[in-house]
Amino acid sequence: QVQLAESGGGLVQPGGSLRLSCAASGTLFSITIMGWYRQAPGKQRELVATIGSLGRTNYADSVKGRFTISRDNVKNTLYLQMNSLKPEDTAVYYCNAMTSVRPYWGQGTQVTVSS
């Protein structure tokens, strides 16, 4: 079992920055890829960024150059640094951890970009 707990969401003005954190606990050796997904009202959940155990990253085109995903394997924490935020980035952001058995999800954290 893996437990994930996100934090760091909130209200920010367009052009601002936020950093999301995801603390992982449980059977951590089973985790391979970790990532961030988001779901806006009325839309399907979509991939934002992923990072493998060796640090290889992948980003959605809509966030390339603005968002940075990273993981601290000592602190067992996943991060998402979000810069130059736009209103269309408004969504609930979910942390994800993949294992060979199943994916795990956090409870989500709300990010609202508005003036």
Side-chain angles (χ1 to χ4, degrees):
Q1 294 286 332
V2 174
Q3 294 79 43
L4 303 171
E6 303 100 332
S7 61
L11 173 64
V12 63
Q13 292 186 342
S17 298
L18 280 176
R19 188 176 81 155
L20 305 183
S21 299
C22 173
S25 60
T27 314
L28 302 181
F29 70 86
S30 64
I31 296 175
T32 54
I33 296 174
M34 297 191 74
W36 290 97
Y37 290 71
R38 67 187 181 187
Q39 188 166 17
K43 295 188 177 181
Q44 290 188 334
R45 190 172 298 188
E46 63 177 4
L47 176 134
V48 175
T50 60
I51 184 167
S53 57
L54 297 180
R56 183 173 182 176
T57 59
N58 178 55
Y59 294 93
D61 288 343
S62 59
V63 306
K64 281 181 181 176
R66 300 188 298 122
F67 291 10
T68 302
I69 189 172
S70 61
R71 62 194 286 181
D72 185 329
N73 292 326
V74 174
K75 295 182 178 179
N76 299 320
T77 301
L78 180 72
Y79 301 100
L80 184 69
Q81 178 65 44
M82 304 186 294
N83 299 328
S84 301
L85 282 161
K86 305 175 181 180
E88 50 263 44
D89 294 317
T90 295
V92 177
Y93 283 70
Y94 296 91
C95 177
N96 168 272
M98 294 296 298
T99 71
S100 60
V101 177
R102 54 160 287 187
Y104 290 89
W105 295 93
Q107 80 286 352
T109 185
Q110 176 70 45
V111 172
T112 302
V113 184
S114 175
S115 55

